[in-house]
């Protein structure tokens, strides 16, 4: 009995030590309307991601996930070195990793070239679609947007490779810069509403979204999460990162100017009772497009890692249905797969419309994916 008690006590001490070592402050700063001095939160919103062990077990034990293929063929593409002027080209890498080229800038969102979205290389969600651009074919990157600390969005191996090769400007919400700095990567960590000037006429605004952040579970919301508006000549780029639906936040982002392109998550949404607060479904993403007043949107965060229960192609089918229900042209909001390339049309004249108002079908810019 003494031996058993000693073992249990040792395990308890080890558990506490591990928890303390992993649950470290990522940010030290003044208390605000969304930071209590230790952890971040979204005012007036549910404790997103704060599910109890019972709820997690209910989902994991009772789930009947769709069967995904072990792999899906991908034909990688080689992007142009630069796209000048107001032309805009989007290349889907996979999941939330998207290359946007415009104004001579190469912008990369949540870059992830690793085989798994996991803290370890031997377990965790495995990639079923290879990146749509081989890393060695990636043009020199100028700007990287990192939305939050979850492993399918903040991939340290990829960020370290990018930093070593290109030294890009990396913008991320508060606290994530601490993690990156510990691995030799320099980033500008900013609060919601703060701006980073890229060059004259181009800046990044960190936007609040409804989500949460963690690396180890116990360090919940030690670092901030967010989306981004990139203010650009010819219309803004909005990148939601990963989020649940919150109309007020999307409408607030729309006040920064007309949105030419919105990158919106459309996957990882089933079961709704567990996922709704943290992940939009395709119908909600269409509503977000309207809230933003976006001329064009691209569906991201689907078909690469099996994170939830829906089938691999369900997001694309459900998005098409939601667009049809809203009488919105399908080419205005495609769900791009790895390797798809899309030219984004210029904003039409008179596009400075209020949030919540979509362009009528006749006035919508014509754009579509190619290979």
């Amino acid at each position: 009995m003494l031996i058993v008690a000693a073992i249990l006590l040792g395990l308890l001490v080890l558990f506490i030590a591990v928890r303390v070592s992993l649950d470290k402050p990522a940010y030290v700063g003044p208390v605000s309307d969304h930071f209590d001095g230790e952890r971040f939160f979204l005012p007036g919103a549910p404790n997103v991601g704060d599910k109890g062990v019972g709820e997690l077990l209910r989902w994991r034990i009772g789930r009947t996930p769709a069967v995904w293929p072990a792999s899906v063929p991908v034909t990688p593409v080689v992007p142009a070195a630069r796209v000048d002027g107001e032309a805009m080209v989007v290349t889907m890498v996979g999941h939330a990793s998207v290359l946007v080229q415009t104004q001579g800038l190469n912008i990369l969102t949540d870059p992830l070239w690793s085989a798994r979205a996991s803290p370890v290389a031997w377990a965790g969600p495995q990639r079923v679609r290879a990146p749509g651009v081989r890393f060695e074919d990636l043009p020199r990157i100028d700007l990287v947007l990192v939305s939050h600390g979850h492993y399918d969005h903040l991939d340290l191996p990829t960020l370290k490779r990018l930093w070593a090769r290109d030294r890009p400007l990396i913008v991320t919400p508060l606290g994530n810069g601490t993690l990156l700095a510990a691995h030799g990567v320099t980033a500008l960590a900013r609060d919601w509403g703060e701006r980073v000037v890229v060059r004259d006429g181009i800046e990044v605004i960190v936007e609040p979204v409804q989500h949460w952040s963690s690396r180890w579970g116990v360090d919940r919301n030690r670092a901030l999460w967010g989306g981004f508006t990139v203010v650009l000549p010819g219309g803004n780029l909005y990148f939601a990162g990963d989020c649940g639906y919150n109309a007020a936040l999307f409408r607030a982002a729309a006040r920064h100017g007309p949105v030419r392109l919105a990158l919106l998550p459309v996957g990882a949404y089933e079961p709704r009772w567990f996922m709704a607060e943290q992940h939009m479904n395709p119908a909600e993403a269409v509503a977000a497009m309207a809230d933003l007043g976006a001329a064009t949107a691209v569906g991201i965060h689907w078909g690469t890692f099996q994170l939830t229960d829906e089938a691999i192609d369900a997001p694309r089918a459900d998005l098409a249905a939601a667009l049809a229900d809203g009488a919105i042209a399908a080419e205005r909001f495609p769900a791009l797969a790895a390797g798809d390339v899309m030219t984004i049309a210029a904003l039409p004249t008179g596009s400075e419309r209020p949030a919540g108002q979509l362009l009528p079908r006749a006035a919508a810019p014509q754009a579509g994916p190619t290979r």
Side-chain angles (χ1 to χ4, degrees):
M1 290 295 292
L2 287 174
I3 293 173
V4 171
I7 292 173
L8 292 175
L9 179 60
L11 290 174
L12 177 61
V13 170
L14 178 62
F15 171 77
I16 294 172
V18 170
R19 184 183 181 94
V20 169
S21 69
L22 296 179
D23 189 19
K24 292 180 178 178
Y27 168 74
V28 177
V31 172
S32 72
D33 67 343
H34 56 278
F35 181 63
D36 63 11
E38 293 189 1
R39 299 179 194 273
F40 292 93
F41 59 94
L42 181 62
N47 257 347
V48 180
D50 194 16
K51 301 292 186 183
V53 174
E55 291 174 294
L56 180 62
L57 288 176
R58 173 188 163 196
W59 172 42
R60 301 300 293 185
I61 293 174
R63 68 186 299 215
T64 53
V67 177
W68 280 36
S71 64
V72 176
V74 171
T75 302
V77 296
V78 180
R82 300 278 171 189
V83 173
D84 295 321
E86 292 190 4
M88 181 180 282
V89 176
V90 171
T91 303
M92 187 63 179
V93 177
H95 198 56
S97 303
V98 183
L99 174 66
V100 180
Q101 298 178 282
T102 187
Q103 299 291 332
L105 283 175
N106 291 330
I107 304 167
L108 191 59
T109 65
D110 285 350
L112 197 170
W113 265 257
S114 294
R116 292 185 186 270
S118 171
V120 295
W122 46 267
Q126 189 164 9
R127 191 171 211 123
V128 301
R129 280 186 167 101
V133 179
R134 286 183 287 261
F135 189 89
E136 55 269 26
D137 292 331
L138 195 64
R140 182 180 179 86
I141 301 301
D142 306 296
L143 174 63
V144 176
L145 307 176
V146 179
S147 63
H148 65 297
H150 287 153
Y151 287 92
D152 59 323
H153 295 264
L154 194 161
D155 181 48
L156 279 171
T158 299
L159 287 166
K160 289 164 71 174
R161 290 177 73 187
L162 276 171
W163 180 252
R165 195 191 75 166
D166 295 345
R167 291 293 196 271
L169 171 63
I170 301 174
V171 183
T172 189
L174 292 175
N176 299 295
T178 303
L179 171 65
L180 293 171
H183 292 268
V185 177
T186 299
L188 297 183
R190 295 293 185 264
D191 202 353
W192 290 339
E194 292 187 337
R195 298 171 181 244
V196 173
V197 174
V198 179
R199 68 176 194 227
D200 287 348
I202 300 176
E203 61 182 0
V204 177
I205 306 170
V206 180
E207 304 280 12
V209 297
Q210 183 171 301
H211 201 57
W212 60 292
S213 190
S214 178
R215 297 291 282 182
W216 302 102
V218 296
D219 60 341
R220 187 179 305 271
N221 296 343
R222 288 289 199 180
L224 189 60
W225 58 93
F228 303 89
T229 293
V230 183
V231 178
L232 292 162
N236 296 345
L237 165 67
Y238 177 83
F239 169 52
D242 191 4
C243 62
Y245 179 68
N246 190 311
L249 298 182
F250 293 126
R251 288 172 180 248
R255 298 188 189 112
H256 295 138
V259 178
R260 179 178 181 180
L261 172 65
L263 305 177
L264 299 174
V266 298
Y269 53 86
E270 293 290 352
R272 293 311 288 152
W273 70 265
F274 194 87
M275 293 294 165
E277 293 172 351
Q278 54 195 313
H279 288 158
M280 293 192 292
N281 64 19
E284 290 169 330
V286 171
M289 180 189 185
D291 296 328
L292 289 160
T296 305
V298 164
I300 63 171
H301 201 265
W302 74 281
T304 305
F305 299 97
Q306 186 169 16
L307 304 175
T308 52
D309 291 355
E310 73 271 9
I312 188 169
D313 289 324
R316 180 172 266 177
D318 289 350
L319 177 59
L323 292 169
D325 287 345
I328 301 166
E331 62 268 20
R332 289 191 53 207
F333 194 169
L336 298 187
D340 285 347
V341 180
M342 182 173 179
T343 300
I344 307 300
L347 285 175
T349 303
S351 61
E352 294 185 8
R353 58 204 178 281
Q357 185 177 359
L358 284 170
L359 285 169
R361 186 184 288 265
Q366 297 302 304
T370 59
R371 292 305 295 266

